[in-house]
Amino acid sequence: MKKIVIFASGSGTNAENIIKYFTETKIGTVVAVFTNRPDAKVIERAQNYQVPVVIFSKNDLIESKILQKINAFRPDLIVLAGFLLKFPQNIIEAYSDKIINIHPALLPKYGGKGMYGMNIHRTIVENKEKETGITIHFVNENYDEGNILFQKNIVLSGDETPEEVAHKIHELEQEYFPQVIERLLEN
C-alpha cells in the first residue's frame, strides 16, 4: 500500500476528505499529517481517523528539520492541502515529482505569493472572470509554477459573491483531489 503524507495549515477539510477517501481503497493510506499551526482544525480531523500529526514551526521548515521527520514515514507522495508556507528546496529535491499541491484557481492565472483562499476568490469576482476552477500541480521552487497535472473549470454567471465562488471551488476540490491522487499512486 502506498503512503501519503499531507501538509495543511488550516481547517483541513481537504485533508480529511483525502484521509477518508483512502480508508476505502487498497491503493494508499495517509500515514501522517504535518501542520505548522498548533491551533489548526486539521489536527483534530486527522486524530479522528487515528492519523499521526506532526506539528512544526516555520523555523523547523526553514532549518531543514522536517525532511528527517518526513523520511521516517517513507511516503510515496506528499500532498499539500491548504498548506500556506513555501516548501523548502531540500524537500523538493528529496521528493522530486512526488509533491503535489491544489490551487483554487486556473493557473497560471491567480497564482503566486499571497494568492490563496478568499484573496483569489475576491480577485476573480472583482475582475469579472467568466470562469475559474482548480489546478493540481507538482511543487517546485516557485509558488504555483510546477507542472500542471489536472485542471477543472466552472463557468461563472458574473453575479456570484466571493463566498459563493469559494463554495463552488471547494466542491471541485472535494470531488477531484482524491481522484487525482489515486491516479498518481496507480502509476
Side-chain angles (χ1 to χ4, degrees), residues 68-122:
Q68 186 176 352
K69 292 182 185 220
I70 294 169
N71 288 342
F73 291 100
R74 298 187 1 243
D76 297 286
L77 188 66
I78 298 172
V79 176
L80 309 188
F83 185 68
L84 300 181
L85 297 178
K86 189 166 187 197
F87 228 57
Q89 190 64 34
N90 69 320
I91 299 173
I92 293 169
E93 288 172 5
Y95 289 91
S96 178
D97 292 332
K98 292 187 177 182
I99 307 169
I100 64 169
N101 182 41
I102 190 162
H103 188 75
L106 297 170
L107 292 173
K109 287 178 116 179
Y110 304 108
K113 187 173 174 67
M115 292 307 288
Y116 61 88
M118 291 306 293
N119 296 347
I120 293 172
H121 308 313
R122 275 191 288 276

Side-chain angles (χ1 to χ4, degrees), residues 1-7 14-15 17-23 25-34 51-52 70 73-81 95 98-100 177-186:
M1 186 168 298
K2 302 279 178 85
K3 297 177 183 176
I4 304 163
V5 165
I6 296 176
F7 276 72
N14 276 325
N17 187 47
I18 293 164
I19 292 167
K20 186 176 176 200
Y21 184 91
F22 285 98
T23 61
T25 72
K26 300 226 184 299
I27 189 154
T29 186
V30 176
V31 295
V33 169
F34 282 65
V51 174
I70 294 169
F73 291 100
R74 298 187 1 243
D76 297 286
L77 188 66
I78 298 172
V79 176
L80 309 188
Y95 289 91
K98 292 187 177 182
I99 307 169
I100 64 169
F177 204 11
Q179 293 176 24
V180 171
I181 293 166
E182 184 173 35
R183 280 200 302 268
L184 275 174
L185 294 176
E186 287 172 344

Side-chain angles (χ1 to χ4, degrees), residues 57-66 88 90:
S57 70
K58 186 175 182 179
N59 282 343
D60 291 340
L61 193 64
I62 293 167
E63 295 169 4
S64 304
K65 295 177 182 176
I66 298 306
N90 69 320

Side-chain angles (χ1 to χ4, degrees), residues 156-174:
L156 298 174
S157 65
D159 62 356
E160 290 94 350
T161 65
E163 292 76 17
E164 290 169 329
V165 173
H167 178 74
K168 291 178 179 184
I169 292 300
H170 188 66
E171 288 179 344
L172 291 178
E173 291 171 339
Q174 294 285 295

